[in-house]
Amino acid sequence: MNVAAFTQLFITEQQPGIWLITLNRPKALNALNRQVLEQLHSAIVWIENQPDARVLLITGSGDKAFAAGADIAEMKDMNAQQAREFSQVGMTTMHRIESSRLPVIALVNGFCLGGGCELAMSCDFILAADNALFGQPEVTLGVPPGFGGSQRLPRRVGPGMAAQLLLTGEKVNAEQALNIGLCNQVYPAQQLQERGIDMAITIAKNAPQALYHCKRLVQASADQSIENGCRMESDLFGLSFATEDQTEGMTAFTERRKAQFTGA
Ligand code: CO8
């Protein structure tokens, strides 16, 4: 897909290797319709295909919302089969983000509700603006989450807090989200993007394969016994000694210089 074909989002390289996807339906508070979800999926694949890509950031356009959920107008009249199918479109995009070879950071500016919160939680971690408002208000619309929120929220904040948020449908602000571990940092809204890019630059200095291993291991920790997870860690640790970046990283240390990683 050509970048020009992305009508529902912008793709920009902010710094060498640091890519930003900006959802672009500000008038609908960046609500996720099928087209947005499909373009988001294609955009991730497109960015991953850039050989020098190192870190991906996702945010929402405008100053009000990251994404205020799946598009309610588009969903409203669906029958059960259509709704299930739409849910699968969203699930596929969320899985694609989660399994990306790149570290993915959500920059949450404003409303981050329903499918928006599910999108943010499919990223490796969330940085929030001080005006962020998180929630899974699906029950207020008569439905449970449909893009993985019932599974990812408990993994982020624990089952008790997840149940409270899912059952009340109430929103939490950035400070509360920080306290429950839903987001990692809170910044003044005007600084969010810059601080996110700074963090991405720090990450991008590290060895790409080691980053991918860390990402997979953290994800595996949610589903595996500690024995299996530690076995996987040993395997990936061993595997990393077959990379040029391991040699470079440890040689640079002994030579008292900064490592230059290539991903090889
Ligand atoms: N879908 C479609 N349009 C939306 C959405 C949405 N989720 N959220 C906001 N908009 C639109 C509004 O309709 C409005 O459009 P218009 O100007 O044309 O009337 C525009 O965005 C601005 O919204 P408001 O005027 O409502 O702005 P406010 O500042 O007054 O309120 C809120 C902001 C509180 C965010 C309010 O818009 C709101 O409550 N939005 C809905 C939030 C919500 O319930 N989200 C969850 C949706 S369900 C979901 O995400 C399930 C995911 C799984 C789906 C599975 C598929 C089957």
Side-chain angles (χ1 to χ4, degrees), residues 4-5 23 45 63 65 80 85 96 106 118 125 128 130-131 136 147 192 197 211 216 224 226 231 233 243-244:
L23 305 174
V45 174
D63 53 8
E85 203 251 327
R96 193 64 191 73
E118 292 169 300
F125 58 88
D130 52 8
N131 69 342
Q136 296 287 164
F147 294 160
L192 176 67
I197 292 168
L211 292 174
R216 285 180 58 201
Q224 307 219 17
I226 192 153
R231 201 168 302 124
E233 184 179 296
T243 66
E244 291 176 16

Side-chain angles (χ1 to χ4, degrees), residues 148-212:
S150 70
Q151 301 306 300
R152 292 194 178 92
L153 189 58
R155 283 165 163 83
R156 293 261 167 178
V157 303
M161 185 53 74
Q164 181 182 327
L165 294 176
L166 291 166
L167 298 178
T168 61
E170 284 176 359
K171 303 172 183 68
V172 291
N173 65 25
E175 277 307 318
Q176 292 165 317
L178 184 65
N179 288 338
I180 62 174
L182 183 53
C183 68
N184 289 13
Q185 309 287 338
V186 178
Y187 302 117
Q190 312 86 304
Q191 293 177 17
L192 176 67
Q193 198 159 305
E194 193 186 328
R195 302 297 289 271
I197 292 168
D198 285 347
M199 199 176 291
I201 291 171
T202 302
I203 293 172
K205 286 180 185 150
N206 299 319
Q209 292 191 56
L211 292 174
Y212 183 55

Side-chain angles (χ1 to χ4, degrees), residues 112-123:
C112 182
L113 303 174
C117 192
E118 292 169 300
L119 168 60
M121 290 190 293
S122 70
C123 300

Side-chain angles (χ1 to χ4, degrees), residues 27-29 31 64 68-72 83 86 111 114-115 118 137-138 141 146:
K27 284 192 183 138
L29 303 184
K64 280 192 77 176
D71 192 312
I72 299 169
F86 182 49
F111 294 112
E118 292 169 300
E138 285 88 343
L141 299 165

